[in-house]
Amino acid sequence: MKKKIAIIGSGIGGLTLGNLLQKNNNFEFTIYEKEETLNLEEGFGIQLAVNSISVLNQIGFDSLKKSEIYNPVKLDFYSDKDKICDLDLTQFNSETEKYTTLKRSFLIKFLKDKLFSNLIRFNKTVEKVEKNQNTIKISFKDGSSDEVDYLVVSDGVYSQTKSIIEKKTYRSNYYGSLAIRTTVRSQDITNFNKKNISLLMSSNAHLVLYPVNEKEHNVVVIARNKKRNFFHYKNLNFIKIILNEGIIKNNNSLRPLFNGQLSYWPIYTSKEPKNSKIKNVFYLGDAFYAFSPTMAQGASQSIEGAEELQHILEKNINDKQNLYFTNRFNRTRVIKIRSNFNYFAFHLSNKVLVFFRNLILKKIINRKEFIKNYLGKVFRK
């Protein structure tokens, strides 16, 4: 008898899991999305290390047009205006699995198009979740319901479903920073190598610039801002002040990058991951744990976690929930520690500390031990 699965949320994690489950006739699943449609207009970029590309290749990612994605060769490190060193990203690649950058909307469209259209149901907001003897009943605000064997919650860092299930309000941690993003034409970039990812570290901020296809580059600044209520000042003047007093102040040549449309939001991370009190409920992606953006693993961990959950659901074992949680928790801890350290190192302002940071980075960036133990454990599963 087929096992029924409900997936709440049609983001990267939920759509990836759906694509993986679609290949197994022992499962019947539905993806529930609270919005009216998927947002395919957003053009900002994401980075995918080979730990996630290996998963996506299982559903045909390797057959995409190369003009719609990009495989950067190196990661260039800058300390304000000066280049320090670079990291060869190709050492993590294989012939079919390569470090990839692309638009998030393009990945969402790819994952959606691989699914049968009737597997995603829109305008579905969870109102109540009940555990019956052997099943889980989900009630939606429109009066409909579903009864399933497994419930997967993948509705993001602000997951309302999680609060409903656990009967507890879950609030994320404000990370003391905000993200400012924009997109620029590749032909307008003059100060950086267009083929590489550029990471510019400055006082209390860092900038990442990378190609998302053959014609466009994504620009994102992570700037420290202790004011939790900054989002009440929803105007570009506030954002421009932060840029001008921060990363642009130390490198005026960056100013042209921010002449286009800007998007900005506060950065939140999760508190310690918790297993669900209800058996056979699984949290995926940012609903499990939202990382700080300094390891570029948010999307990759959603994809990697989806494959991990797929394999566990296919196992003939009773305690699927605890096995999944333990594996995800341990993996999350490794990446969380590295992300937090990067956040500290990228934003140093003391000149002495900056000097030693740059010196150490030059010395270790090509050492095999560093590559294997610090980066390799993240980029490869």
Side-chain angles (χ1 to χ4, degrees), residues 87-93 365-366 371 380:
L87 171 70
D88 181 10
L89 294 172
T90 64
Q91 63 189 302
F92 303 106
N93 297 347
I365 198 65
N366 292 313
I371 298 299
R380 302 204 69 90

Side-chain angles (χ1 to χ4, degrees), residues 243-287:
L243 289 171
N244 290 334
E245 292 182 352
I247 202 160
I248 290 179
K249 180 179 179 181
N250 298 326
N251 193 343
N252 195 56
S253 63
L254 298 175
R255 191 175 301 277
L257 295 177
F258 301 98
N259 289 334
Q261 183 177 355
L262 302 178
S263 294
Y264 46 95
W265 57 89
I267 295 174
Y268 286 89
T269 58
S270 301
K271 297 182 179 179
E272 196 79 355
K274 299 289 184 182
N275 207 350
S276 179
K277 297 176 182 177
I278 298 181
K279 186 178 180 181
N280 292 332
V281 170
F282 305 87
Y283 295 114
L284 176 63
D286 285 349

Side-chain angles (χ1 to χ4, degrees), residues 92-265:
F92 303 106
N93 297 347
S94 67
E95 187 174 341
T96 57
E97 302 165 358
K98 297 180 180 180
Y99 200 101
T100 302
T101 53
L102 72 164
K103 289 184 178 181
R104 182 183 183 277
S105 55
F106 184 78
L107 177 59
I108 292 290
K109 185 177 186 303
F110 163 76
L111 293 169
K112 172 184 173 289
D113 290 347
K114 286 291 182 177
L115 289 169
F116 294 119
S117 58
N118 64 337
L119 293 175
I120 307 178
R121 297 182 186 176
F122 295 97
N123 291 313
K124 294 291 186 179
T125 301
V126 176
E127 185 174 52
K128 190 176 182 180
V129 176
E130 301 171 277
K131 175 63 177 172
N132 296 329
Q133 186 173 0
N134 296 313
T135 60
I136 301 169
K137 183 179 179 181
I138 310 153
S139 301
F140 299 94
K141 287 187 176 180
D142 63 0
S144 63
S145 63
D146 195 4
E147 200 159 341
V148 297
D149 298 290
Y150 304 109
L151 171 60
V152 180
V153 178
S154 183
D155 56 353
V157 62
Y158 308 110
S159 175
Q160 294 299 312
T161 309
K162 190 173 185 178
S163 296
I164 292 170
I165 292 171
E166 309 302 337
K167 294 181 170 54
K168 175 184 176 182
T169 301
Y170 279 88
R171 289 188 172 89
S172 301
N173 294 317
Y174 176 56
Y175 204 59
S177 294
L178 60 102
I180 305 168
R181 285 190 186 240
T182 188
T183 301
V184 297
R185 297 184 305 173
S186 300
Q187 66 186 50
D188 295 334
I189 296 172
T190 58
N191 297 328
F192 301 96
N193 189 323
K194 299 178 185 179
K195 297 181 180 180
N196 299 340
I197 300 172
S198 299
L199 170 60
L200 190 152
M201 300 175 287
S202 189
S203 176
N204 294 317
H206 74 278
L207 174 146
V208 183
L209 170 77
Y210 56 88
V212 292
N213 52 44
E214 293 180 347
K215 297 180 179 179
E216 297 172 282
H217 272 63
N218 184 69
V219 184
V220 58
V221 170
I222 306 300
R224 291 185 184 242
N225 189 315
K226 294 181 179 180
K227 297 179 181 179
R228 285 176 173 267
N229 64 341
F230 88 88
F231 43 86
H232 292 310
Y233 304 91
K234 290 216 169 196
N235 60 75
L236 285 178
N237 288 333
F238 177 73
I239 297 303
K240 288 179 179 178
I241 288 172
I242 291 174
L243 289 171
N244 290 334
E245 292 182 352
I247 202 160
I248 290 179
K249 180 179 179 181
N250 298 326
N251 193 343
N252 195 56
S253 63
L254 298 175
R255 191 175 301 277
L257 295 177
F258 301 98
N259 289 334
Q261 183 177 355
L262 302 178
S263 294
Y264 46 95
W265 57 89

Side-chain angles (χ1 to χ4, degrees), residues 230-367:
F230 88 88
F231 43 86
H232 292 310
Y233 304 91
K234 290 216 169 196
N235 60 75
L236 285 178
N237 288 333
F238 177 73
I239 297 303
K240 288 179 179 178
I241 288 172
I242 291 174
L243 289 171
N244 290 334
E245 292 182 352
I247 202 160
I248 290 179
K249 180 179 179 181
N250 298 326
N251 193 343
N252 195 56
S253 63
L254 298 175
R255 191 175 301 277
L257 295 177
F258 301 98
N259 289 334
Q261 183 177 355
L262 302 178
S263 294
Y264 46 95
W265 57 89
I267 295 174
Y268 286 89
T269 58
S270 301
K271 297 182 179 179
E272 196 79 355
K274 299 289 184 182
N275 207 350
S276 179
K277 297 176 182 177
I278 298 181
K279 186 178 180 181
N280 292 332
V281 170
F282 305 87
Y283 295 114
L284 176 63
D286 285 349
F288 183 89
Y289 186 85
F291 296 92
S292 70
T294 49
M295 203 74 198
Q297 274 287 304
S300 286
Q301 285 309 303
S302 293
I303 295 167
E304 183 183 307
E307 184 196 37
E308 196 172 282
L309 180 53
Q310 172 222 355
H311 288 323
I312 288 174
L313 290 173
E314 291 175 345
K315 289 180 180 290
N316 186 22
I317 57 174
N318 292 323
D319 201 6
K320 294 178 171 65
Q321 186 182 34
N322 284 332
L323 177 59
Y324 169 78
F325 178 81
T326 301
N327 290 348
R328 266 294 89 200
F329 182 86
N330 291 336
R331 180 70 166 146
T332 295
R333 183 170 53 185
V334 170
I335 298 167
K336 174 185 175 183
I337 291 171
R338 285 159 174 74
S339 296
N340 290 343
F341 178 78
N342 283 359
Y343 182 76
F344 164 77
F346 291 172
H347 294 182
L348 291 176
S349 56
N350 182 282
K351 291 183 178 180
V352 176
L353 293 178
V354 169
F355 172 80
F356 282 107
R357 177 199 65 193
N358 297 349
L359 181 64
I360 292 170
L361 190 56
K362 286 180 183 179
K363 290 183 176 295
I364 67 171
I365 198 65
N366 292 313
R367 291 195 175 181

